[in-house]
Amino acid sequence: MASSPRADSRWGGPRAALIAILAGAATLRAVGIEYGLPFGNLLNPDEQSIVPRAWRMVHGGGLDPHWFDYPTLLMYLLAPFQAWQGAPSFLTARIVVLLAGVGAVAASWWLGRRAYGGSAGAVAAAAVAVEATHVAYSRMAVTDVPLTLAVAVALTLMVARRLEWAALAVGIAAGFKYPGVLLLVPLVVAAWGRWWRLAGAAAIAVVTFLATSPYVLLHPAQAAHEALAVQRLARKGWLGFEHDHVSPVAFVARLWSGLGPVLLIAGAGLVLALVRRRRTDLVLASFVLVYFVDLLTLHAHFDRYVLPLVPPLAVLAGRIRYLAPVTLLLLVVPLTWSIRNDVRLTRTDTRVAAFRWIEAHVPEDSTIAAESSTAALQNFPVLPLALPGPGRPSDPNRSIASLRRQGVSYVLVTGAIADRVLAARRRYPREARFYGELRTDAKRLYYVADGHGLNGPWVAVYRL
């Protein structure tokens, strides 16, 4: 539906409005983009899994990732920009994802305009621009924001009934992250009654996915095993979610933490779409519903899992045109949250401060037992302490007696792990006992926490 001249006048002209929204989105996402560097596991541990593999692809390692927790497309996208880097560049990779995040804002504008007109496009773009979770992950070199961009593009092409191009976008979405395959459901809705075109579009989607992750064909057993293992972990749960709400409540809470009260208007737009049941309504609503139903199977309620829902929900919020001014006003809430988070990322991470202390005070030949989510101690012999989790066996190294037998002199622990373990100590008795042993049987040499120009979890260094 084309926007009316009155609507264009209200927004000051669509082009000017879009440029302003994109500039604001880019600014929000650029703040803190260097946070935690040069360490690649402090802002998001998954960066350490993706960026070094992309770097190796253009430094003699070849295109086979030999790793299929995620599909390969993001690594292929990042690899050319790693070619001139002497070591994996997390900053370069983050810039690429930041551009994808701004692209998702533009794609949401496009989706809103094609679905319900100019005001819906403006509302959708503004909502995605300030949505707190999307802003946060747009500066992380991980798969979630590229998937969100592909979702917005695919849904737009479905609404426009450009089925073959939509199928191409579906394959690209699945190439970024396996749940992109759920876009096949709205593709069926968009092509309903055009069965030959649907068959051709489905074939295009499959071929595109295989083109973006070709080694799935060469290592089918490994790819299936690793992809299913990741899905099983998500369905079983993760450290920190033991006492979370049931999945429907938890994921609605994650959506609220990103959109704020605009989520209520998006919900009303979804209900209205289900009542009206136009093809455009059904395309958007079918994806929102099938994706949310898939989330209900998960017991690991990470906020990033809801990101693909953000563009269609933002468009559905813009569907109710007479509420557009109210919706835009309510976006002040997630904007405030995003700015608050940006301010935190201008500070030094506590784990970087702990790393600098260790470099200055611990002899380099000392063996250090270190938890994950701490800065990598490249100049020291390190004994990693395995991450606890539901259904995982306890790490026998989480014992002072065991560490002493192995010649470990120092232990590096962080609240990013310890606080979650202690909050569920009945499920992790051995791990909880380990922190108690450190407090009573070891000497704490260093402790740092959030505040005084620092940001992040507390970190402690003990000497055995």
Side-chain angles (χ1 to χ4, degrees), residues 81-450:
F81 302 98
Q82 298 289 323
W84 57 84
Q85 307 289 344
S89 173
F90 293 93
L91 177 59
T92 301
R94 289 178 183 180
I95 291 172
V96 174
V97 174
L98 184 149
L99 294 175
V102 176
V105 175
S108 299
W109 173 283
W110 185 27
L111 175 57
R113 287 181 68 87
R114 291 307 301 251
Y116 302 118
S119 63
V123 167
V128 177
V130 302
E131 201 271 347
T133 306
H134 194 272
V135 171
Y137 281 87
S138 291
R139 61 174 72 92
M140 304 178 192
V142 293
T143 57
D144 305 278
V145 165
L147 169 62
T148 304
L149 168 59
V151 166
V153 172
L155 291 175
T156 304
L157 294 168
M158 292 175 199
V159 167
R161 300 191 183 184
R162 301 175 68 178
L163 300 181
E164 291 75 19
W165 287 104
L168 184 70
V170 171
I172 290 173
F176 281 127
K177 200 168 184 179
Y178 297 118
V181 72
L182 297 174
L183 283 165
L184 289 174
V185 172
L187 182 64
V188 171
V189 173
W192 193 262
R194 304 177 182 183
W195 307 119
W196 285 111
R197 285 192 70 186
L198 175 59
I204 291 172
V206 172
V207 170
T208 302
F209 168 73
L210 294 176
T212 59
S213 295
Y215 291 92
V216 167
L217 284 176
L218 294 182
H219 310 294
Q222 179 188 357
H225 173 75
E226 293 180 3
L228 291 174
V230 171
Q231 296 301 311
R232 283 195 297 270
L233 284 174
R235 282 165 170 73
K236 187 177 294 185
W238 203 267
L239 178 65
F241 297 112
E242 290 82 2
H243 303 301
D244 210 353
H245 298 290
V246 294
S247 291
V249 176
F251 282 118
V252 169
R254 303 297 181 269
L255 287 167
W256 180 274
S257 67
L259 284 168
V262 172
L263 182 62
L264 299 176
I265 300 177
L270 176 61
V271 171
L272 185 59
L274 293 172
V275 171
R276 296 287 179 83
R277 293 197 298 274
R278 300 170 183 170
R279 190 179 293 263
T280 294
D281 293 329
L282 293 177
V283 166
L284 296 176
S286 64
F287 177 73
V288 170
L289 293 176
V290 72
Y291 191 89
F292 192 78
V293 168
D294 183 66
L295 291 179
L296 300 186
T297 66
L298 308 181
H299 288 91
H301 305 138
F302 290 109
D303 55 358
R304 66 179 185 266
Y305 288 169
V306 304
L307 282 178
L309 292 174
V310 170
L313 286 175
V315 171
L316 289 167
R319 189 192 195 287
I320 308 175
R321 184 173 301 178
Y322 64 86
L323 287 180
V326 176
T327 306
L328 291 172
L329 182 62
L330 290 175
L331 288 176
V332 171
V333 176
L335 173 61
T336 301
W337 294 342
S338 293
I339 292 173
R340 179 193 60 194
N341 295 336
D342 282 2
V343 170
R344 290 174 178 167
L345 295 184
T346 62
R347 304 167 185 162
T348 300
D349 191 281
T350 51
R351 293 160 292 186
V352 175
F355 171 85
R356 293 170 179 168
W357 186 91
I358 291 170
E359 289 270 284
H361 294 88
V362 175
E364 288 190 1
D365 59 349
S366 302
T367 301
I368 302 176
E371 289 190 311
S372 59
S373 298
T374 55
L377 302 169
Q378 298 178 346
N379 297 326
F380 296 84
V382 173
L383 176 67
L385 297 175
L387 180 70
R392 297 185 184 186
S394 296
D395 184 354
N397 290 326
R398 287 183 176 271
S399 161
I400 285 184
S402 174
L403 294 179
R404 284 174 171 156
R405 284 195 299 269
Q406 298 178 71
V408 172
S409 303
Y410 297 86
V411 181
L412 174 63
V413 294
T414 172
I417 309 299
D419 287 347
R420 288 182 282 172
V421 167
L422 296 175
R425 61 174 65 243
R426 290 185 178 180
R427 300 196 182 196
Y428 305 104
R430 181 169 187 162
E431 289 79 1
R433 186 166 58 250
F434 174 61
Y435 296 115
E437 290 178 350
L438 288 174
R439 287 193 298 270
T440 58
D441 299 336
K443 182 178 182 180
R444 193 175 78 181
L445 300 179
Y446 178 80
Y447 178 85
V448 64
D450 185 34

